[in-house]
Amino acid sequence: MKVARVIVDVPSRDTDRTFDYSIPPQLDGWVEIGSRVAVPFGGRALQGIVTAFAADAEVEAAKVKPIAELMDAMPPLSAELVQLGEWISKRWLCPLTIALQAMLPAALKGKAEKYVFPAIGAHWTEEETARSGGLLLALGRGEPLKLASLLQQYPDQGEQLKLWMRQGRLEERQRVENRMSVKTMQTVFAPDADKLRQAMAELPARARKQHEVLAYLADNPEPIAVERLAEALGTTSSTIRALADRGLIEVRAVTEDRDPYANRHFPPSVPMTLTPAQAEAIAPIIDALDSRDHRAFLLHGVTGSGKTELYLQSIDRCLSSGREAIVLVPEISLTPQMVERFKSRFGAKVAVLHSRLSNGERYDEWRKIREGRAQVAVGARSAIFAPFERIGLIVIDEEHETSYKQEESPKYHARDVAIERARLNGAVVVLGSATPSLETYAASKRGIEMGYISLPQRVADRPLPGVRLVDMREELKLGNRAMFSRALHEAIVSRLEKKEQMVLLLNRRGYATFVMCRSCGYTATCPHCEIALTYHRGAQTMRCHYCGYAEVEPKTCPSCESPHIRYFGTGTQKVEESLAETFPGIRVIRMDVDTTTEKGSHERWLTEFKERKADVLLGTQMVAKGLDFPYVTLVGVLAADAALRLPDFRASERTFQLLTQVAGRAGRHELPGEVIIQTYDPEHPSITSVQGHHYEGFVRQELKLRHVFGYPPYGRLIGVTLSHESVPMLLSAGQRLATRVRELATAERIGSDFAGGNGDALEILGPVASPIARLKDRYRFQCMVKYRGDVDASRLVAQALRELEEAVKKNGLIVSVDVDPQMML
DNA sequence: AGCACGCCGACT
DNA sequence: GTCGGCGTGCTC
């Protein structure tokens, strides 16, 4: 009996294998590898993906059930993507269904819905019918009805329904349905100001928060999302709901638009004539495309060297050979300007995929690709799964960006997936960056698996901006306690006079980074996470940036009641305030997660800045990436070493990359640029190398350190984080795991004297408390496996984890594995 | 992940 | 004597 092997959508270790289903005659010939099917599984209906066929079931024929339904006429995944999914699940140690789900748009994440209908021959008394308040009448019409909507419509009949189902008078059937939910947003609509004032007068005086809400709406009459309004006023949605209940405001679910680019016109662009340097750089890429071999290249080009034009011309070449192209861009750089560059060149052939799209929009773009109506996919990380069938080229712009690593399961890195997918397709990969990750750089310098292409000059020979380092310790000695050094102060003044613009970077949001009592040393920490709370000026709250916990600012010390409670450290809010005080009349746009939560706000700020409605763009790392404004002639970094002391071996690399990227924002057009970096550590290589735009110098030094400690690219890492409410439990589980990995390594004769890139093999560190030792009320311990690249450590870790899970069963221990972790926190 | 099956406390 | 608490095991 021919069977389909199905991966069912239950993300657990013991269901991480195929289950066999027979193919009903009417589906014969329709079910393919990659088909999405609904199947009965343990008494319920589930979604699954067909990954193989077999001539016979691996279990006795009586156990094999038929596929209930084929969910799409055209399989959403190809055999190639299924294969890629299998590779991902092995590489990052996750259940295959999780890898496969990551490839599907959210709209295709099927969910079982329960339907109820009367059993044949079931009767109800007149009294029961009357008591059911219309429910039995509705059921009596014959159509099975959705259980969830019945419960919503008749909230008090839940018990009754359950009883009838137990008695067999009602029957239940499950059906897997698409979650084609159009995205909606609860939005507040305010009446006109007069009505609002009248409403305020009618409100009881003690309803203070409700007054505030109405006052805010009187000033800001445009519709606003409930969540956002609540956040702006430091209250909760219940306040707003209360107002809606009184009928004073209206709250409606607003659906989001489906074609984000429907009303936009993209003026066509033609290929630019390449500079000699560009022409030389693109040649090997074109060669590789023409030969149809799998090849990968690092395109190492300084900021402003014209990498995007090379991408465009490479894509053009790829398309003209009848193949398709994927372009990955960091989420944050996926701005309308960026999209425009691709749409202008390739028009309707471009599909755009990013997280800001609603599920419906995303699904529509995805279908354009699947159905062959688009040949270029431009998108963030997950666009690497664009369902093309003839991929010729994959471009990853800003390849060093951390956002290419997904932090939830599957914890894949899009760069590695790209290379594997290109290998499967005989396609070319181009990794572009001004500051390549050390892994990529080292690989390209080895020259075996990856070629190196350099583009060391900016186009039109525009100079890289001059970089000045300012030692803030000297400033302090000279009595300057302000957050702006004298140099930066002067530079700001001169830009204001010349009506030029500035970008200021501070990689910390909020107002003050911690709150401490000067009398007793008490610091405010999150009660759930052991993380210092950050003070936010606007809402006068202290917030945890990890779990979102917030409390009102204390007037006196909660511990000793001293009034000497002070705010330390500087966040973007405080800089904004200080700019206004120091430079009266200065116009500042602040961009950080607090000001860009609303859909489209990110874009709006950038447009305003571009139109020169502000002098300063102040923000966290989101102002460092890919922005291109002709009037920006000054970039200021307020505290360059902020991220340097983090307990992460990549801290230096990140700092260097961030500083170089932000420095590249200055002087990109006619006007020359200047960069001022304030630091307490002006000798640090991450910082001094930025001054000379000296990537190679920085990398050489950093690689030496990595070599000594056996960190990537010389060794590889697997992080395992265990979390539980109890510390002793965690410690014993952690030790058990570490011991077991060690035993397995010894059994396989893998030496444990790995130190640096020349030792041999594998070592396991920990368990130790995680840098964030407690998160959301759970303690966290971690182990780190450090190993030489040719050792199959993930197999050992997987086995040790299986054994550990077997041993502790369900006692609440949560284990999370991260292969090639990018963040050590 | 769910849902069933199974073995021990507070109720009609 | 029964309802139901959630520990354990299976799902083609």
Side-chain angles (χ1 to χ4, degrees), chain A residues 580-602:
Chain A
E581 281 167 11
T582 320
F583 310 99
I586 196 167
R587 298 167 305 164
V588 180
I589 289 177
R590 173 165 65 92
M591 251 177 52
D592 51 38
V593 275
D594 300 310
T595 65
T596 53
T597 46
E598 198 183 326
K599 183 172 174 169
S601 56
H602 187 250

Side-chain angles (χ1 to χ4, degrees), chain A residues 520-582:
Chain A
C520 73
Y522 160 89
T523 53
T525 51
C526 174
H528 309 286
C529 304
E530 286 193 6
I531 286 287
L533 294 174
T534 298
Y535 176 57
H536 283 243
R537 199 51 177 290
Q540 296 179 8
T541 52
M542 300 190 301
R543 291 192 206 162
C544 172
H545 285 183
Y546 286 88
C547 75
Y549 169 85
E551 62 180 60
V552 293
E553 64 163 310
K555 296 282 178 257
T556 58
C557 172
S559 164
C560 71
E561 292 179 7
S562 149
H564 300 293
I565 192 133
R566 291 288 179 272
Y567 303 105
F568 295 88
T570 299
T572 46
Q573 284 185 1
K574 190 156 157 188
V575 178
E576 186 179 26
E577 189 180 280
S578 179
L579 278 168
E581 281 167 11
T582 320

Side-chain angles (χ1 to χ4, degrees), chain A residues 43-44 114-117 147 165 170-174:
Chain A
R44 61 212 167 107
K114 291 175 181 171
Y115 285 81
V116 287
F117 56 95
L147 181 61
M165 280 156 75
L170 285 178
E171 280 185 39
E172 179 191 301
R173 182 171 299 159
Q174 293 187 30

Side-chain angles (χ1 to χ4, degrees), chain A residues 144-158:
Chain A
L145 295 174
K146 205 178 268 190
L147 181 61
S149 29
L150 281 178
L151 288 174
Q152 204 170 32
Q153 213 179 338
Y154 308 95
D156 44 345
Q157 300 287 323

Side-chain angles (χ1 to χ4, degrees), chain A residues 80-328:
Chain A
E80 181 244 335
L81 281 172
V82 169
Q83 196 184 344
L84 188 67
E86 283 164 352
W87 181 80
I88 288 172
S89 101
K90 270 209 198 76
R91 173 82 159 65
W92 283 284
L93 301 178
C94 71
L96 178 51
T97 187
I98 290 189
L100 296 175
Q101 287 301 319
M103 300 176 165
L104 295 174
L108 297 186
K109 290 197 173 128
K111 194 178 172 281
E113 281 294 347
K114 291 175 181 171
Y115 285 81
V116 287
F117 56 95
I120 296 168
H123 290 287
W124 281 272
T125 64
E126 268 179 40
E127 197 244 321
E128 280 175 325
T129 311
R131 219 160 11 99
S132 77
L135 179 128
L136 281 171
L137 279 174
L139 279 168
R141 285 186 207 112
E143 281 292 298
L145 295 174
K146 205 178 268 190
L147 181 61
S149 29
L150 281 178
L151 288 174
Q152 204 170 32
Q153 213 179 338
Y154 308 95
D156 44 345
Q157 300 287 323
E159 285 305 308
Q160 189 56 255
L161 274 170
K162 236 191 263 170
L163 181 66
W164 286 334
M165 280 156 75
R166 249 203 319 270
Q167 292 171 342
R169 295 158 86 188
L170 285 178
E171 280 185 39
E172 179 191 301
R173 182 171 299 159
Q174 293 187 30
R175 222 187 109 90
V176 178
E177 290 180 355
N178 285 340
R179 242 180 277 183
M180 254 309 297
S181 57
V182 188
K183 198 176 167 193
T184 61
M185 183 89 81
Q186 292 295 317
T187 306
V188 175
F189 292 85
D192 59 63
D194 284 345
K195 281 231 181 77
L196 275 173
R197 263 186 289 280
Q198 196 191 330
M200 284 168 78
E202 285 169 16
L203 267 184
R206 65 193 151 75
R208 243 187 58 229
K209 279 293 177 190
Q210 297 187 33
H211 267 282
E212 276 177 42
V213 172
L214 294 181
Y216 180 92
L217 290 171
D219 294 339
N220 308 276
E222 64 280 359
I224 178 171
V226 168
E227 221 176 297
R228 202 163 152 63
L229 177 60
E231 205 198 273
L233 297 173
T235 177
T236 61
S237 60
S238 65
T239 314
I240 295 160
R241 195 105 315 140
L243 284 166
D245 289 344
R246 287 176 199 267
L248 301 178
I249 58 172
E250 194 187 346
V251 176
R252 281 206 307 267
V254 174
T255 64
E256 289 181 32
D257 192 16
R258 286 198 48 151
D259 184 0
Y261 303 104
N263 308 318
R264 275 222 179 76
H265 174 67
F266 298 99
S269 81
V270 290
M272 287 164 26
T273 310
L274 298 180
T275 65
Q278 284 178 313
E280 197 182 317
I282 203 172
I285 299 172
I286 299 292
D287 277 354
L289 281 169
D290 291 349
S291 74
R292 298 193 165 228
D293 282 341
H294 164 55
R295 214 82 74 67
F297 298 98
L298 166 60
L299 175 57
H300 184 187
V302 297
T303 55
S305 61
K307 292 190 290 289
T308 309
E309 184 60 30
L310 296 195
Y311 302 154
L312 290 169
Q313 298 197 14
S314 304
I315 294 165
D316 202 24
R317 187 68 162 222
C318 170
L319 297 187
S320 60
S321 75
R323 291 181 297 166
E324 297 129 351
I326 297 176
V327 183
L328 298 191

Side-chain angles (χ1 to χ4, degrees), chain A residues 47 56 70 168 204 219 246 253 303 319 408 441 443 497 502 531 546 580 588 631 682 708 737 761 764 769 797:
Chain A
Q47 174 171 308
D56 274 300
L70 177 67
D219 294 339
R246 287 176 199 267
T303 55
L319 297 187
E408 300 94 64
Y441 183 77
E497 279 167 3
M502 302 154 253
I531 286 287
Y546 286 88
V588 180
Y631 291 95
V708 169
L737 177 75
I764 179 155
V797 172

